[in-house]
Amino acid sequence: MRQPAHGGNLAWAAALAGCPPDAILDFSASISPLGPPNSAIAAIQSQIGNLKHYPDPNYSELRLALSHFHQLPPEWILPGNGSAELLTLIGRELAELAATILITPAFGDYYRTLRAYNANLLECPLSLVSQCGLLPRGDAKGDSAALASYRASGGFPHEQLRTRKVTGHWSLFADTGDRTNDKGLLLNNPHNPTGKLFSRDSILPYLEQFALVVVDEAFMDFVPPNEEQSLIPVVQEYANLVVLRSLTKFYSLPGLRLGYAIAHPDCLAKWQLWRDPWPVNTLAAAAAIAALQDTEFQQQTWAWLPPARNQLFQGLAEISGLQPQVSAANFLLVKSQESTSQLQQQLLKHHQILIRDCLSFKELGDRFFRVAIRSDSDNQRLLTALKES
C-alpha cells in the first residue's frame, strides 16, 4: 500500500502494524481529542429523517450561523466540502494571475490545487519571509536577535529568492522585479507544519501589494480569542483577501468534511458557479450549526490545549536527539537526529502509534516529524514509546 501524503491514514498504518485500524493511536492527524461535541452528535441524530431531502443549495441556515459567529453578512461566507474543496476553487482563481508566491514548507494540497490549473508557482522559504517582516507573533520586526533566535529554534535557511532593501523595508520579491500587484500570495496561519503564529499586523502590508492574498486559518480556532491573529475582522476592507477556515479539526469532525471561505461576495458568487451543487451534506451542516453555538466546548478546548501542549513539548525536549519547535497550534513539529520514516515504522510495528513523517514537505525531509496534541495519557504513551525506540 502506497505511503500516504497526509496524516490520518489508519488503513495504511494498520496494514504496516498488522492490527485493526481502531487499534492505532493516531498522532499523525491534528484533530482535537475532545470531540466531536455532544451537541454536534445530537444535531446529526436529529437530521436523520431529513436525509430523504436535498440540502438547501444556498445553505441559508448554516451561513446565518457562521455570520453570527463572525459578525459578518451571510453573503461574505461560502461553506464547502472541507476547506480542500474551497482550496481547489481558489487554485483556479490563482492560476489566472501571473504567479503565486507560496510560503514553504507548505501543506501538500497547495501544490495539488496550483498544479491542477497549471498555476505559475514561486516558492519562498519561511526563514526568508521571517527575515523580511512576516514574523511569528511576539517577535519584533527587524530585530536581529529575534531572527537569530527564530532560526536557531527551527527556521529553515533555504534562501531560494533574493531580497533587497526597497524604500526602507525589505522586499521579498526582488526576483519578480518588485512587482507583485499581478501575483497571488498563499500562506497559512498558524503555519503548518511549524505551528508558528504570524501577527495580523505583519500580514496586512501584503494586502496592499498583491492582487490576491489567501490566508488558510485551518488551525486558528485553537488559538484563544485574546491571542488569535485572524484576518476575518478586516476582510470587508480588502476585496483581494480570502480567508479559509475548517470546522473539522477543532470540533473533531474530519469525516464530515466541512469548511468555509470568507471573501468578497462577488468572488464567492463566481466560485459558486464553478462547483457542483450541494457540496455540504445535511448532517455536516447540522453538526456545524450546533458546534458553532457550543461555547462550553470551545472554552474547554482553550483550557485543555496549552498545558497538554506544554507537557508534550517538555517531554519531547527531554528525549535525546529530539528538538520540538514552539507551536501555537494543536501539533508540534519535531526535529530528529535520526531517520523519522524509520522511527515512524518502529512506532507502528512495536507500539501501534502513528506519527506524521514530513517527507511530503521537501524542505524538511527525513529529519522532522509532526505529532498532534492528544490527551495526557496518550501523550505519555507516545513519550514512553519514543524513549524505547
Side-chain angles (χ1 to χ4, degrees):
M1 188 179 296
R2 184 178 180 182
Q3 187 164 358
H6 296 280
N9 192 325
L10 298 185
W12 173 85
L16 191 60
C19 67
D22 59 6
I24 298 294
L25 180 55
D26 186 14
F27 279 86
S28 71
S30 300
I31 307 298
S32 169
L34 303 185
N38 291 333
S39 58
I41 299 300
I44 290 171
Q45 292 171 338
S46 72
Q47 292 297 312
I48 297 298
N50 286 327
L51 292 180
K52 59 188 176 183
H53 304 299
Y54 284 103
D56 171 10
N58 294 317
Y59 300 101
S60 303
E61 188 176 355
L62 174 55
R63 294 172 82 176
L64 185 61
L66 287 165
S67 74
H68 288 161
F69 189 75
H70 290 296
Q71 297 298 297
L72 286 171
E75 59 268 23
W76 285 75
I77 302 167
L78 183 66
N81 186 241
S83 55
E85 185 224 354
L86 298 164
L87 184 61
T88 299
L89 301 174
I90 291 169
R92 179 172 173 178
E93 190 85 38
L94 289 168
E96 297 176 1
L97 301 175
T100 295
I101 308 293
L102 180 63
I103 308 302
T104 61
F107 179 42
D109 263 20
Y110 299 160
Y111 291 98
R112 173 193 61 81
T113 187
L114 292 171
R115 288 169 178 162
Y117 294 104
N118 296 315
N120 186 18
L121 172 62
L122 299 176
E123 296 176 294
C124 186
L126 184 58
S127 59
L128 183 58
V129 176
S130 297
Q131 182 179 0
C132 301
L134 193 63
L135 290 171
R137 176 69 171 167
D139 286 349
K141 181 176 180 180
D143 186 335
S144 59
L147 174 60
S149 174
Y150 163 72
R151 286 191 168 183
S153 67
F156 307 107
H158 303 283
E159 307 292 326
Q160 297 172 1
L161 296 180
R162 297 192 310 271
T163 62
R164 67 180 177 88
K165 205 151 188 184
V166 180
T167 61
H169 66 278
W170 286 98
S171 171
L172 279 176
F173 311 110
D175 277 4
T176 65
D178 294 325
R179 180 184 175 188
T180 57
N181 61 3
D182 60 349
K183 297 176 180 64
L185 174 65
L186 175 56
L187 60 96
N188 53 2
N189 192 28
H191 182 258
N192 177 18
T194 67
K196 296 185 182 297
L197 179 65
F198 303 131
S199 70
R200 181 188 296 114
D201 289 344
S202 70
I203 300 176
L204 287 176
Y206 296 114
L207 294 169
E208 305 290 346
Q209 300 174 29
F210 285 88
L212 181 63
V213 176
V214 181
V215 183
D216 181 355
E217 296 184 352
F219 294 98
M220 190 66 78
D221 285 344
F222 288 100
V223 183
N226 62 328
E227 299 176 16
E228 66 94 31
Q229 299 295 308
S230 175
L231 266 70
I232 292 175
V234 301
V235 73
Q236 290 181 282
E237 302 173 29
Y238 297 95
N240 63 330
L241 172 62
V242 176
V243 178
L244 277 181
R245 282 293 188 104
S246 169
L247 285 167
T248 62
K249 297 172 175 62
F250 186 87
Y251 297 104
S252 309
L253 296 167
L256 282 182
R257 311 304 309 129
L258 186 64
Y260 54 99
I262 298 179
H264 193 281
D266 291 346
C267 182
L268 299 183
K270 177 170 60 174
W271 295 356
Q272 184 81 300
L273 298 175
W274 290 350
R275 66 178 185 170
D276 296 336
W278 310 295
V280 180
N281 69 71
T282 297
L283 303 184
I289 293 168
L292 289 167
Q293 298 170 354
D294 196 334
T295 56
E296 181 179 351
F297 180 84
Q298 294 156 13
Q299 293 292 339
Q300 180 187 8
T301 302
W302 294 324
W304 153 77
L305 180 56
R309 182 173 56 212
N310 184 62
Q311 176 223 19
L312 184 56
F313 181 95
Q314 295 298 333
L316 290 166
E318 292 171 2
I319 299 175
S320 177
L322 298 183
Q323 183 183 356
Q325 314 295 308
V326 174
S327 172
N330 66 321
F331 57 81
L332 293 172
L333 181 68
V334 184
K335 187 174 183 179
S336 172
Q337 294 180 1
E338 306 297 332
S339 165
T340 54
S341 57
Q342 292 180 16
L343 176 61
Q344 180 190 60
Q345 295 194 25
Q346 290 173 9
L347 290 173
L348 275 173
K349 292 177 180 178
H350 300 298
H351 302 279
Q352 299 177 340
I353 292 175
L354 175 60
I355 61 173
R356 171 75 153 83
D357 69 53
C358 290
L359 296 176
S360 64
F361 300 100
K362 57 187 178 182
E363 295 82 4
L364 304 184
D366 199 29
R367 288 296 182 268
F368 286 85
F369 65 90
R370 197 189 68 192
V371 288
I373 313 299
R374 295 185 58 90
S375 68
D376 288 351
S377 59
D378 287 348
N379 293 342
Q380 190 56 54
R381 181 177 160 189
L382 172 65
L383 293 171
T384 300
L386 285 169
K387 291 174 183 177
E388 296 175 0
S389 297

